[in-house]
Amino acid sequence: MADEKLKLEDLLSGVQRNDEDGRIDYVAIIGGGLMGQGIAQTIASSGLDVLIVEKNDKRVTASQAILKASMEREIARWAMTQSEMKSILSRVKWTTDINDVTDCDLIIEAVDENYELKKKIFKDLDKIANHETIFISNTSTLSLTKIAEVTNRKDKIIGMHFLNPVPKVPLVELIKALDTSDKTVEVVKKFAKKIGKTAVEVYEYPGFVTTRAIVPLLNEAMHILLEGIASAKDIDTAMKLGYNFKTGPLEMADSMGLDEVLAWMETLWSTLGEPRYRPSPILRKLVRERKLGKKTGEGFFKYDADGKIIE
Ligand code: NAI
């Protein structure tokens, strides 16, 4: 009730809610792929409304199908009820028109890991969105400071690195760019808490903590495969049983999307110059063949419609 009153007062006074008290009710997500739909599910299940912006109708249909399928898998595992799924779906809307984000309190960008694309989106959003709106990027390796340069709100640009699968991973990395204000950090920290994530603050640096630490391991597993030391299945079994990993490195790369993994390695290699980030030729080959992992049904392994490895 008190909340309702606050909303009404905000509307009457014309005050921006997220400027006034960091309150966020309606979140836009640009890009409804693997991460975008996972972020949408997480936010909607915390009771907030979500708008996903995709680049065309075909991608909207694909994004809707992925979101529904991922929740149906949860239901089959008794990890979600039909009514929870219905209530999440009732809070998520899709559009192909980026101009629809004007009413959103917060905008999260989750398009492909590509500077030019991300910069174009931030530039467009800067013209469309209310000046007080905070923009978050889910980039894994790119510089937020460089992305922020194309906007007139450098203090309101921040990185929030979700990990896949978003509804299950309780962590986000918060990345403060050169000009990100403390106020923006505070608002986004509160938001992370509200959606059930523990935030760790990291300095802006290629790959932050999680991507930088995992990429060499994935790359090494690919080299081991390429050198014929063991089969893909045995490499993953060795790492799972030997080191108590839930998922082996090759299946993990397949889950992340091999095109994304390649893009991260290219950035880490070119920015840090360390050979350990130089992408294994087998990764390049699979990406060339559009065998991108679970999302295309084949990568290091073949997958059924439920994302399970076909033995
Ligand atoms: P994805 O390829 O599954 O999804 C990207 C989506 O962006 C696609 O659906 C595409 O249609 C959409 N898109 C492209 N241009 C657009 C535009 N102009 N307007 C609206 N939508 C547009 O990629 P994924 O894996 O979801 O990655 C997205 C971002 O999240 C990348 O920056 C990646 O580095 C980051 N990330 C990915 C993780 C992973 O495990 N895959 C983990 C953490 C971060």
Side-chain angles (χ1 to χ4, degrees), residues 30-36 53-55 59 110-113 117-118 121 138-140 161-164 256 259-260 264 295:
I30 318 295
L34 179 70
M35 297 306 288
V53 183
E54 255 298 346
K55 59 181 176 186
R59 290 299 310 162
V111 301
D112 316 53
E113 188 79 336
L117 177 61
K118 288 191 194 279
I121 286 179
N138 186 42
T139 180
S140 304
H161 185 233
F162 292 86
L163 276 80
N164 177 49
M256 290 164 163
D259 51 344
E260 294 299 327
W264 304 340
K295 62 184 168 187

Side-chain angles (χ1 to χ4, degrees), residues 165-307:
V166 182
K168 294 221 173 73
V169 181
L171 173 82
V172 287
E173 287 172 286
L174 281 192
I175 306 106
K176 204 174 158 185
L178 196 61
D179 298 303
T180 311
S181 68
D182 290 343
K183 169 117 189 274
T184 297
V185 175
E186 283 318 305
V187 170
V188 171
K189 260 192 191 166
K190 259 206 223 166
F191 170 69
K193 199 168 170 208
K194 165 123 191 148
I195 61 170
K197 303 294 181 200
T198 299
V200 293
E201 283 181 62
V202 303
Y203 286 112
E204 180 179 299
Y205 210 78
F208 321 124
V209 175
T210 54
T211 309
R212 176 150 172 209
I214 202 70
V215 154
L217 175 72
L218 304 183
N219 211 18
E220 205 52 44
M222 294 173 202
H223 283 306
I224 292 170
L225 179 67
L226 192 65
E227 288 163 25
I229 295 163
S231 68
K233 189 176 170 208
D234 284 346
I235 292 170
D236 272 16
T237 303
M239 295 304 285
K240 280 195 282 191
L241 300 185
Y243 291 107
N244 213 8
F245 278 34
K246 246 199 220 154
T247 312
L250 298 174
E251 187 184 355
M252 194 187 289
D254 276 350
S255 307
M256 290 164 163
L258 299 185
D259 51 344
E260 294 299 327
V261 175
L262 178 59
W264 304 340
M265 285 192 198
E266 298 276 25
T267 306
L268 289 170
W269 186 32
S270 67
T271 51
L272 301 173
E274 298 281 355
R276 63 177 177 268
Y277 301 116
R278 192 175 60 213
S280 162
I282 197 166
L283 176 63
R284 289 191 191 285
K285 179 175 178 289
L286 289 170
V287 172
R288 236 182 0 253
E289 292 169 353
R290 301 297 296 163
K291 291 178 181 162
L292 305 180
K294 286 194 185 179
K295 62 184 168 187
T296 56
E298 186 172 352
F300 291 101
F301 301 97
K302 286 190 177 161
Y303 297 90
D304 66 17
D306 288 333

Side-chain angles (χ1 to χ4, degrees), residues 117-132:
L117 177 61
K118 288 191 194 279
K119 282 201 279 196
K120 184 186 177 311
I121 286 179
F122 273 69
K123 203 170 178 180
D124 291 348
L125 287 172
D126 194 41
K127 290 186 206 133
I128 300 163
N130 188 294
H131 191 65
E132 297 307 326

